[in-house]
Amino acid sequence: MKRYLPLYINILSMFIFLASMIVFSVVSYGYIRNSDIALLSAKQLIRQTGSSIGEKTQRIFDTAFMTANTYVSFPEIGEKASLHSHPMSNVFFKFLQENPDFTSVYMGFSDGDFFLISSLRGREAMKKQKHIPDYALWYTQTIGHLPDGTRYELTKYLDKGLCIIGSQSSINVKYDPRNRSWFKNAETTDVAVLSDVYVFALAEEPGLTVSKRFDSEVSGVLGVDLSLANISNFMKKEQVGKECEIIIFENSGELYGYQDLEKLTSSIYWNSDKTIKTVTVSGLKKNVLNSLVRSTKENNINDFQTQHLVVDDVSYISLIDPLPTEYGKKLFLAIAVPERFFTGPIAIIGKQTLLVSLGILIIFLPIIFIAAKRLSLPLKILTEEVKKIQDFKLETPIMIKSNIIEIRDLSNATETMRETLNAFGSYIPRPLVESMIVNKITPKLGGRRQRLTIMFTDIQDFTSISENMSPEKLMRSITSYLKTMGQAVLNNDGTIDKYIGDSIMAFWNAPVANTLHAQLSCLAALQCRDLLKKFNSECKNNNEPVLLTRFGIHTGDAIVGNIGSSDRMDYTAIGASVNIASRLEGLNKFFGTEILVSETTMKETGDIFQFRFAGKVVPKGTSVALGVYELLGTRCDSSKEFEPYAVAPLVVTQVNEWEFAFAALLRGEFYKSASALSSYIEKYGPDSLVNYYLTLAQKYVSNPPDESWLGEIVFDAK
């Protein structure tokens, strides 16, 4: 049983122990101290290297997945290639030009047809093997079938300007995309999938494919190829010394990347038909890499981690960083570097420093004894009060009397801390304050990547409203407004990031995790909408202007944490997802809507809410179109807490008619769409969103957009 001693005994024992250990410290201190500094610097360097490689890898994989998910939604994706080209050719060429890490983009159909565009940059060996002209930079391949069932192949070689410089054709082609692993993996699922390492049919080199099924008259699969050579090249540039080992692997041991392409290729076990049977870390014959793989299995690593390894009597500093699970595989990035690379010769710290330290300790020993005795009793009481603060029990004031100024000041400071923490919850999220105290979290600059649902609100025409009200009256009105809105957010487990004048920024799923964050944000918006009706009714009764509010909601990854400086931090979320939520709020004024949510949020809420599709938009400051939906309420058959916001059955009918008219607009049937939208307004009355697209459809009847138009509305203003 562990024995506990009074404070003054502990203090004396500690100093006696330090004195007895001084001889050992003289010999070892210098080496230990400098070694620790060297190893600390080494860990920081490895973390930076791991972050750089991890970000690059995630950027490549994210690009591949986003591209696959985006392209399969294009209407032209299901069309067959002609002898001349394919409607998606320009999109594929542009993607490969802007993303040199990828080699090919292609489509395989369920009837065996195939269309591919491949970049030939840096693939001289392949061009020589395939007898492709030296100055060709692009390769296209079309496989189709004639009316009699005969399969034919047409390949073209294009130069930098996409001009054809050569071609060849053949019949009775043996290549069938349906037999390839990338096709089989994606054929039975609705999500994009990452393949295992296999040999590309065109280049006969190992690589990976992100593929996704698309539905059309003839269904198929779209694939995006990433050569292992490209992965190895950027990993090699990040090596920390010649003995540094860098790998990307699955926890089962399968290998997805290694900095030495030649060794990686030589480790592959090939089948007799030139296909890969397996690519594993063990094939590299590196014990330290095998140890890293075992570590992920035994320790179930789910977050960025550095550790010390000893393999074959060699000490290593290693890093294991899990890649996002959205890729469908449990992938890890691992780095291992021998400690000897960092330590080297360590200088011995002089003995005089330690001797002086010993003398100081001996001189102050009597003083420490007297002070410890006087400090013990009030400090014991104060410790109990601090424990209450640690448990976030802040109701009882702290009152400790002592003749020692320091203890009295400490007591006063602790009481001030208690009062401050109690009030602090009014300025930043109270769950954050409680979590920091209870879990002993020290505030630090920086954050973590987290999937959030972000909400922005703004009062319509607030500038003109404020100009016509006295400052005192405006302050009372906006304070009451923000209290009403803020309470609805907090009641639905939201975190209020900040009040920006009349606007509110809030988010869900941080600091306290909540898997229902998308649902709760939409429910909060509906509650705010209803509460504001009552609030504005009171404003009318008091002859005050009503405060009409617009909402923007988006779900996506963001960095959430502390930003600012060491003396002033702000717990907030930053990133593209935050900007999108803000832009969605601003789009309400163009569409005449009240609550706009992104397609991502809509999908994550399930089937609880009733939405109306508001189009595909490219907000100002963004380059990628996203689907936008108007939140109307909850489903008409909703129950429990969702029932008060249920829409009438007529609303469902209106939404269906709206979607019919809007679909015609997206198909380019502008006259038909304009007629349907006009009938909608005549039947149901004025509707700002419908009127917006009616105006657009009427414009396109006489002045249609470019043929490449896919329904996006680009906004140049907020």
Side-chain angles (χ1 to χ4, degrees):
M1 182 177 179
K2 191 172 182 179
R3 185 177 180 183
Y4 296 94
L5 301 173
L7 173 63
Y8 73 95
I9 296 296
N10 279 282
I11 294 174
L12 289 176
S13 299
M14 179 183 64
F15 278 90
I16 293 172
F17 174 77
L18 289 173
S20 65
M21 292 296 295
I22 197 66
V23 174
F24 173 78
S25 299
V26 169
V27 177
S28 61
Y29 178 81
Y31 176 82
I32 295 174
R33 180 61 177 167
N34 287 284
S35 295
D36 287 344
I37 293 173
L39 293 178
L40 180 60
S41 300
K43 290 179 180 179
Q44 292 174 343
L45 177 60
I46 291 177
R47 288 192 187 99
Q48 293 173 358
T49 302
S51 296
S52 177
I53 298 175
E55 290 173 2
K56 174 70 172 178
T57 303
Q58 290 184 38
R59 185 163 61 250
I60 292 175
F61 284 170
D62 287 349
T63 299
F65 275 78
M66 181 181 68
T67 300
N69 287 323
T70 301
Y71 286 359
V72 297
S73 66
F74 286 9
E76 297 87 352
I77 195 70
E79 297 183 24
K80 295 293 188 66
S82 66
L83 293 177
H84 299 289
S85 184
H86 186 277
M88 295 291 291
S89 294
N90 289 337
V91 177
F92 290 174
F93 279 123
K94 185 176 181 181
F95 170 77
L96 293 174
Q97 286 173 335
E98 295 176 350
N99 299 274
D101 293 313
F102 300 95
T103 57
S104 305
V105 184
Y106 46 85
M107 299 175 295
F109 293 85
S110 58
D111 60 2
D113 286 0
F114 182 74
F115 178 72
L116 170 143
I117 293 179
S118 185
S119 171
L120 299 176
R121 286 175 295 192
R123 306 171 82 179
E124 306 304 321
M126 187 194 81
K127 289 198 286 186
K128 185 176 181 180
Q129 180 184 4
K130 301 288 184 181
H131 305 292
I132 299 174
D134 291 339
Y135 49 94
L137 290 180
W138 299 99
Y139 175 99
T140 69
Q141 180 184 24
T142 303
I143 296 177
H145 58 273
L146 301 174
D148 62 358
T150 302
R151 301 183 75 233
Y152 68 89
E153 177 185 31
L154 174 63
T155 59
K156 299 178 184 179
Y157 315 121
L158 295 80
D159 62 10
K160 182 178 181 180
L162 302 181
C163 295
I164 299 175
I165 58 176
S167 64
Q168 62 182 26
S169 61
S170 60
I171 60 174
N172 297 322
V173 182
K174 294 183 179 180
Y175 178 84
D176 191 331
R178 295 170 294 185
N179 297 328
R180 303 295 288 177
S181 60
W182 57 267
F183 191 99
K184 294 178 180 179
N185 291 342
E187 189 178 23
T188 58
T189 180
D190 291 329
V191 299
V193 294
L194 175 67
S195 72
D196 294 331
V197 176
Y198 73 103
V199 177
F200 294 160
L202 172 63
E204 297 183 357
E205 62 179 349
L208 302 166
T209 296
V210 174
S211 56
K212 184 172 184 180
R213 178 174 62 83
F214 59 84
D215 296 317
S216 61
E217 184 176 349
V218 179
S219 63
V221 174
L222 178 136
V224 181
D225 279 350
L226 172 62
S227 170
L228 289 189
N230 290 340
I231 296 178
S232 295
N233 287 337
F234 79 75
M235 292 173 70
K236 190 172 184 179
K237 293 178 182 178
E238 299 288 346
Q239 275 188 279
V240 182
K242 294 182 179 179
E243 295 181 80
C244 175
E245 301 286 350
I246 307 175
I247 56 171
I248 297 174
F249 64 97
E250 196 173 17
N251 65 338
S252 61
E254 292 190 25
L255 185 62
Y256 286 80
Y258 184 59
Q259 84 271 7
D260 192 325
L261 180 64
E262 183 177 346
K263 289 183 179 179
L264 185 151
T265 304
S266 64
S267 71
I268 296 175
Y269 182 84
W270 301 86
N271 288 323
S272 58
D273 59 352
K274 293 294 184 180
T275 60
I276 296 177
K277 182 176 182 181
T278 182
V279 184
T280 63
V281 176
S282 60
L284 296 173
K285 298 180 181 180
K286 298 278 188 177
N287 290 338
V288 64
L289 300 182
N290 294 332
S291 178
L292 290 172
V293 174
R294 286 195 302 271
S295 178
T296 61
K297 295 179 180 178
E298 297 170 357
N299 300 325
N300 192 26
I301 297 174
N302 294 312
D303 200 0
F304 188 94
Q305 184 178 111
T306 58
Q307 59 182 337
H308 175 81
L309 288 178
V310 178
V311 181
D312 297 334
D313 296 327
V314 178
S315 296
Y316 291 85
I317 297 176
S318 67
L319 173 148
I320 300 177
D321 187 13
L323 296 180
T325 56
E326 288 85 353
Y327 306 143
K329 298 179 182 292
K330 196 167 185 179
L331 299 180
F332 296 87
L333 165 68
I335 302 175
V337 184
E339 285 187 5
R340 61 174 176 262
F341 177 80
F342 303 101
T343 53
I346 303 297
I348 306 293
I349 297 179
K351 297 180 181 180
Q352 290 185 350
T353 302
L354 298 177
L355 293 173
V356 170
S357 299
L358 177 59
I360 294 174
L361 292 175
I362 294 174
I363 292 173
F364 277 92
L365 193 58
I367 300 175
I368 294 172
F369 176 80
I370 297 172
K373 292 288 289 184
R374 296 188 65 181
L375 285 170
S376 296
L377 182 59
L379 281 178
K380 181 180 180 181
I381 300 173
L382 189 58
T383 300
E384 293 174 353
E385 297 296 336
V386 171
K387 287 181 179 179
K388 292 181 181 179
I389 295 176
Q390 187 178 14
D391 294 333
F392 213 62
K393 298 176 180 178
L394 309 174
E395 296 79 13
T396 307
I398 299 172
M399 300 179 64
I400 297 176
K401 296 181 179 180
S402 175
N403 294 327
I404 302 175
I405 295 176
E406 289 78 5
I407 293 179
R408 188 179 61 199
D409 291 345
L410 180 59
S411 176
N412 294 336
T414 306
E415 168 61 12
T416 301
M417 178 178 66
R418 184 198 66 82
E419 294 177 347
T420 303
L421 287 173
N422 203 23
F424 200 42
S426 301
Y427 292 91
I428 67 172
R430 193 174 183 87
L432 175 64
V433 180
E434 184 173 356
S435 176
M436 290 170 59
I437 295 174
V438 174
N439 298 309
K440 302 178 182 180
I441 298 174
T442 302
K444 295 181 181 179
L445 290 174
R448 70 182 190 280
R449 189 185 185 97
Q450 179 78 15
R451 190 163 185 80
L452 303 177
T453 297
I454 305 109
M455 173 195 287
F456 275 86
T457 74
D458 190 43
I459 297 176
Q460 178 179 326
D461 299 326
F462 182 72
T463 301
S464 59
I465 292 174
S466 60
E467 289 175 350
N468 296 318
M469 295 180 68
S470 67
E472 294 80 9
K473 194 172 184 180
L474 177 64
M475 177 61 73
R476 288 194 301 271
S477 179
I478 198 64
T479 299
S480 178
Y481 165 84
L482 292 176
K483 181 179 179 181
T484 301
M485 295 279 286
Q487 194 59 50
V489 171
L490 296 175
N491 289 343
N492 287 280
D493 297 335
T495 298
I496 297 177
D497 184 295
K498 58 178 69 72
Y499 295 104
I500 313 168
D502 62 304
S503 303
I504 299 175
M505 173 186 172
F507 52 78
W508 281 258
N509 205 29
V512 179
N514 193 321
T515 57
L516 302 177
H517 52 91
Q519 292 182 12
L520 290 170
S521 65
C522 290
L523 184 60
L526 294 176
Q527 289 181 1
C528 286
R529 184 186 66 182
D530 286 6
L531 289 171
L532 286 176
K533 290 179 181 179
K534 181 179 179 181
F535 177 86
N536 285 327
S537 176
E538 295 176 356
C539 289
K540 289 181 179 179
N541 294 336
N542 297 330
N543 294 321
E544 296 178 354
V546 297
L547 303 180
L548 302 178
T549 303
R550 298 184 291 247
F551 301 80
I553 304 174
H554 174 62
T555 300
D557 289 350
I559 300 299
V560 60
N562 297 310
I563 66 171
S565 62
S566 59
D567 60 343
R568 178 66 181 273
M569 299 182 187
D570 185 15
Y571 183 79
T572 187
I574 59 175
S577 296
V578 178
N579 296 332
I580 290 174
S582 176
R583 292 294 186 267
L584 291 181
E585 178 276 314
L587 290 179
N588 283 289
K589 63 184 177 184
F590 296 100
F591 289 139
T593 51
E594 188 174 0
I595 307 173
L596 286 179
V597 307
S598 68
E599 185 173 3
T600 307
T601 302
M602 182 273 294
K603 289 181 177 179
E604 290 206 13
T605 58
D607 58 355
I608 297 175
F609 298 91
Q610 180 67 56
F611 297 96
R612 178 168 66 163
F613 186 46
K616 292 189 292 184
V617 302
V618 181
K620 181 180 180 181
T622 65
S623 59
V624 178
L626 70 152
V628 178
Y629 291 79
E630 181 185 11
L631 176 59
L632 302 175
T634 57
R635 297 282 186 178
C636 59
D637 57 351
S638 297
S639 59
K640 297 181 180 180
E641 69 269 24
F642 301 103
E643 185 176 2
Y645 314 101
V647 300
L650 178 62
V651 174
V652 180
T653 302
Q654 291 178 260
V655 170
N656 292 334
E657 293 187 22
W658 154 258
E659 291 180 348
F660 171 79
F662 194 81
L665 177 68
L666 295 180
R667 291 194 302 269
E669 300 172 359
F670 303 122
Y671 181 82
K672 180 179 179 181
S673 177
S675 178
L677 292 172
S678 296
S679 299
Y680 183 99
I681 293 177
E682 292 176 2
K683 184 176 181 180
Y684 297 113
D687 188 312
S688 299
L689 181 62
V690 177
N691 191 64
Y692 178 89
Y693 281 104
L694 172 59
T695 303
L696 186 66
Q698 291 172 340
K699 171 186 174 183
Y700 285 164
V701 167
S702 58
N703 186 21
D706 189 83
E707 293 182 358
S708 62
W709 185 69
L710 299 177
E712 302 97 337
I713 306 298
V714 180
F715 289 89
D716 297 324
K718 298 180 181 179

